[in-house]
Every structure is written in C-alpha cells, then in structure tokens.
Amino acid sequence: MYLEKKSIICNDNTADSDIAQFQRVDGEELLSSEEGFPFHIVRVLNIEDLSLVTQLRQKSYGRHLPEFGRYLASPEKEDDNQENIVLLITSKSDNMPLATIRIHTNGHKLLPLEHTIALPDSLRSSTLAEAVRFSVINGAEGRLPRDTLFKAFYLICSMLKIEWMIICARRPLQKLYYGLAFEDIFPDKESIPFPHIGNIPHRVLKLRVGDVEKIWNAMDHPLYNFFFETQHPELDNLLEDLRLS
C-alpha cells in the first residue's frame, strides 16, 4: 500500500473543531480515515531545503521552459521574505525533492501578478493568496505530492482566513485548475504574459476558499475524500508549525 490508513469515527468525545472537519455540508457525520504519507512536507527555513527547492524548480520548469528553468536554479529574493511561505515535499526514504510551492498573500504587499495587471476591485478588497513556483517531480510519482501541496495551500488559506486562492496557469495546465473549479478572473482577455513567470502567457484563475467543500461535494469531485474526509498527520504537523512560527 502506498498509504497507511486507520479509521476514525466522529463521536460525542470529538472536539468541535474536529467535528467540523468530518462533517459534510448537510451536517451528517461521516467515516473518516487517517493516512500517513511516504514523504515529509515542511516550510523551507534553511539553505539545505532551499537548495532542494531550486533543484526541483529547475527540473520542473526546465522540461518545457529551459531558459526559465536555468534562471530558477538559484534562490530568489522572495524565498527569503518571511511573509511568504515556501513549502517542500521530500521522500522519507532518500530525501529526494518531490514537490514545492511558494505562497504569497496580500496582507502587506501586492501579489506577484499585481505587478503586471490590476485585479478587479472586488478582489483587491479581499484577502488573497497566490501560489507560484508550483513544481512537481515528473510522472505518476508526482501525483500524490501534487495533490498534497494543493491541499496544503487550501488548508493554509483556511487557517489564515484567506478568501480567494489565485493561480496563474499556462496552457494546457489551466485545464487542471478548471477541473478543481477555478474560474477565469479575466474571461474575455487573452492569456497574459507575466515577467515573474518568464513572460509566458498565463490564465489568471480564482477559487473562493469557503466554497471549495460545497462545490466539490456537489460535483462529487474525486479529491473530495482526500481533502475533507481524510486526516494527514504530516499536514497537521505543518499547520501547527506555521501557527507557532
């Protein structure tokens, strides 16, 4: 088995916060499970982990954008900004980097994409988080780390009271995010070249954090169980570390 599972059933002794995690929108209690990953997920706080991040960024982006991949072989100044959150997933067996992402919020500064294009007023007055440098190991081995990173992005946004998750996606990767219920912020515009993403044209997409559970439940999304009916100790530990930092 790739994942280790054990059942957890909500009962009268379950804490209120835990009950909320294991209820559908109709309030019904549900059978949940706990799954342990074969990898670690951490916030990057040292040069060793940052070196693994840049290694993976170069490989991931370099597959399709060789010149931009070479640029990403070195750390960026935004990696050192403590207002940003750089996440890294590494294999427990050999410490190989499997996936990474950097999260920006608009609490005290513009999002990276806002240096190129102004967002609609309705979004600029909201709390936002933009995920950038999403890099995942190639092939089937990268699917679980990819899904885990996105769940971490969602959980961090929930913890920080972020209203909207923002993603810039190039073709054909925008289809992945449409499948997650993201919507175009500028549906009538052509794809936009962004300097912070190698001047490659991207779609700008949004998803309201508070709507994810309801939308995915209604559409019977294949990741619903993974996100809302399953606990992951590694993600619990990550969130606790972020709360304490």
Side-chain angles (χ1 to χ4, degrees), residues 74-144:
S74 300
E76 301 175 281
K77 65 178 182 179
E78 292 294 347
D79 293 323
D80 292 327
N81 188 330
Q82 290 304 300
E83 292 185 2
N84 302 328
I85 299 172
V86 182
L87 300 180
L88 172 66
I89 292 178
T90 56
S91 169
K92 289 180 179 178
S93 62
D94 58 11
N95 204 41
M96 177 185 294
L98 303 176
T100 181
I101 198 173
R102 188 172 69 227
I103 301 169
H104 296 248
T105 63
N106 67 338
H108 301 99
K109 59 186 183 348
L110 296 175
L111 298 178
L113 69 87
E114 291 184 279
H115 294 285
T116 300
I117 191 168
L119 291 171
D121 291 341
S122 59
L123 285 176
R124 282 189 290 170
S125 61
S126 302
T127 53
L128 311 174
E130 180 184 357
V132 304
R133 304 298 185 254
F134 203 153
S135 307
V136 181
I137 191 171
N138 197 25
E141 189 179 1
R143 291 175 185 169
L144 181 60

Side-chain angles (χ1 to χ4, degrees), residues 185-233:
I185 295 176
F186 306 105
D188 299 326
K189 288 183 177 289
E190 296 291 331
S191 296
I192 302 164
F194 287 98
H196 75 288
I197 327 175
N199 285 307
I200 305 300
H202 282 65
R203 305 303 300 169
V204 186
L205 311 175
K206 66 178 181 179
L207 178 58
R208 189 191 294 272
V209 176
D211 289 347
V212 175
E213 194 277 341
K214 177 176 62 178
I215 293 172
W216 285 16
N217 186 49
M219 65 190 295
D220 195 23
H221 196 282
L223 285 178
Y224 183 89
N225 178 276
F226 182 78
F227 268 60
F228 299 106
E229 298 183 353
T230 310
Q231 276 191 304
H232 299 99

